[in-house]
Amino acid sequence: RGFSQLQLAPLFSRQAADLTLQADGGLRVDNGARISVDPGGSVFLGTTSKLLEVYGQISAPAGRITLAANGDAIGFDSAQAIWIGKDARLSATGAVLSTPGNNGQTISKVLDAGSITIDAQYGYVVAEQGAVLDVSAVAATLPIALLRSPYVRSTRIAGNAGLIDIRAREGGLLDAELRGQSAGALGGRLALTLDHGGDVVVNYPGSPNRDPGRLWKVELTQNALAVPNGLKPGDNIDVLAPGRLRFGIDRALQGGFEQLAFNAEHAVAFKGDVSVPAAQNVRALAINAPVIESDGGKAVLAAGYVNLGNQSPEIARQTPQVASGGNGDLEVSARHVDLTGHFALQGFKRASINSDGDVRLVGVVKKPANINTAPTRPEGSFALQGDLALHARQVVATTLSQYAIN
């Protein structure tokens, strides 16, 4: 007694912890609350029903933050959601970890940013304006030993930015500030996915007794807000976002993300004029859906690499799609373009696809119906009603691909 005291071990000697909180009912991180783990640790919050609400702070530098609605204990609930309030701060930024060396010098390393995953396997995702999700990189000036020399040189070392991955089954309204800034190395990655998995579950949307014709679409605007004034936890979200995930693409561009992927079970729809300009220096952009829609505006997509089409191997989705005309205009510019799988344009009168290199026609191998079925030849098709201009060094199908442009 009296010969010891409780102390927190220094950061360099601690093993990063993983925290899991799983609730059968609702789960709430309130205003002023803070959950924090050491660099490289993880935080998992999950709920099987009701609401998973975050209004406070969650920090996992160079680690993983996961929010999951991973159960439907009460069946379909039009208010079930992962709800990220306006004061919430989720941070998995990069970090600098320093350790004392044997010679009295400090040994430091720059850790890449981690990931933030929002996974509504059931229900919706709502992220209010004011909330911040941050996977930005960090950099530090570190002493680097010179080869065959007793001297060191101060050198700026940058880590890579991380990943924000938001997935929903029923719909989403996303107004949060998203950050994936580069510190001199790679910028962040952002993926948005709306997919109910093709499940036909009684009393769920898409089933014979509840909106059997519903389609699941990611709707992209330039900067429109998605969360209506007055919407609060517990409200019916399905009437506002029935099979829709709504997002203003400026939030990704202002956040510094270098890789963008928008994935939808049925369609990615451009609402009004939407532009990803070349000045944003987006390295890779994927629009992944059986249908790409326009309501009459102009969609300008410029990136180092652009992939348009349908990447799903599911037999029910990987079939030729029906095109329809309209007043929309699609303009794609990239160093390299892939047209993938069976997909169609709807609502467009013109499409211009410009590649400094190749335009590749990429077939997709359908998943076999059973393990005894031999894989099929990769196939795909690009359908549109209107004018098509292809400018490239060459337009070529990938090996074995059977591909048609209609």
Side-chain angles (χ1 to χ4, degrees), residues 35 44 91 99 102 109 113 129 151 163 200-202 218 262 313 363 382:
I35 298 174
F44 178 94
S91 176
T99 304
N102 294 330
K109 58 181 177 180
Q129 186 179 27
Y151 301 104
L163 166 69
V200 180
V201 181
V202 175
V218 172
F262 303 104
F382 173 30

Side-chain angles (χ1 to χ4, degrees), residues 65-142:
I65 298 173
T66 303
L67 308 181
N70 50 8
D72 63 342
I74 59 174
F76 175 68
D77 181 355
S78 62
Q80 183 176 1
I82 299 174
W83 193 289
I84 303 172
K86 62 182 180 63
D87 297 318
R89 299 290 182 270
L90 278 64
S91 176
T93 60
V96 178
L97 193 61
S98 298
T99 304
N102 294 330
N103 58 0
Q105 292 183 338
T106 299
I107 302 172
S108 299
K109 58 181 177 180
V110 176
L111 305 178
D112 292 340
S115 64
I116 298 174
T117 300
I118 313 297
D119 187 10
Q121 299 170 28
Y122 295 88
Y124 307 80
V125 176
V126 178
E128 296 180 342
Q129 186 179 27
V132 176
L133 282 64
D134 194 351
V135 291
S136 296
V138 300
T141 300
L142 305 178

Side-chain angles (χ1 to χ4, degrees), residues 124-376:
Y124 307 80
V125 176
V126 178
E128 296 180 342
Q129 186 179 27
V132 176
L133 282 64
D134 194 351
V135 291
S136 296
V138 300
T141 300
L142 305 178
I144 304 298
L146 299 178
L147 186 64
R148 293 187 295 274
S149 170
Y151 301 104
V152 297
R153 174 182 294 162
S154 294
T155 305
R156 187 177 187 274
I157 305 296
N160 297 321
L163 166 69
I164 294 178
D165 185 7
I166 301 177
R167 305 189 291 263
R169 175 189 169 99
E170 303 299 348
L173 303 168
L174 307 179
D175 286 342
E177 179 181 347
L178 307 179
R179 299 175 183 169
Q181 297 286 349
S182 166
L186 296 178
R189 294 167 290 148
L190 173 66
L192 304 182
T193 302
L194 180 65
D195 195 326
H196 86 308
D199 294 342
V200 180
V201 181
V202 175
N203 292 325
Y204 269 79
S207 65
N209 61 331
R210 187 188 290 269
D211 197 3
R214 176 172 294 189
L215 300 179
W216 277 256
K217 303 180 182 182
V218 172
E219 293 185 348
L220 299 177
T221 65
Q222 193 68 47
N223 52 26
L225 293 177
V227 181
N229 290 332
L231 183 68
K232 61 185 185 301
D235 287 349
N236 185 336
I237 304 171
D238 192 62
V239 299
L240 300 170
R244 300 293 184 269
L245 191 153
R246 299 193 172 109
F247 180 71
I249 205 164
D250 273 354
R251 289 170 182 78
L253 302 181
Q254 292 165 2
F257 292 89
E258 290 186 357
Q259 298 184 51
L260 306 175
F262 303 104
N263 312 293
E265 182 172 341
H266 293 111
V268 172
F270 294 101
K271 296 296 184 179
D273 293 341
V274 178
S275 177
V276 179
Q280 291 292 331
N281 294 317
V282 174
R283 293 176 54 243
L285 171 62
I287 306 294
N288 174 27
V291 172
I292 300 174
E293 288 185 5
S294 172
D295 63 356
K298 183 175 183 178
V300 177
L301 307 177
Y305 166 71
V306 173
N307 189 323
L308 300 179
N310 176 10
Q311 301 174 28
S312 174
E314 299 296 332
I315 293 176
R317 301 187 196 182
Q318 200 55 250
T319 59
Q321 302 295 311
V322 177
S324 63
N327 295 315
D329 195 344
L330 176 64
E331 184 176 302
V332 176
S333 299
R335 289 190 293 274
H336 185 92
V337 176
D338 282 349
L339 306 179
T340 302
H342 291 291
F343 76 106
L345 301 186
Q346 295 182 358
F348 289 92
K349 65 179 179 182
R350 188 181 78 92
S352 175
I353 299 175
N354 308 283
S355 174
D356 295 337
D358 297 343
V359 171
R360 296 195 311 169
L361 310 178
V362 183
V364 173
V365 177
K366 297 178 183 179
K367 185 184 296 184
N370 57 67
I371 59 175
N372 297 318
T373 303
T376 60

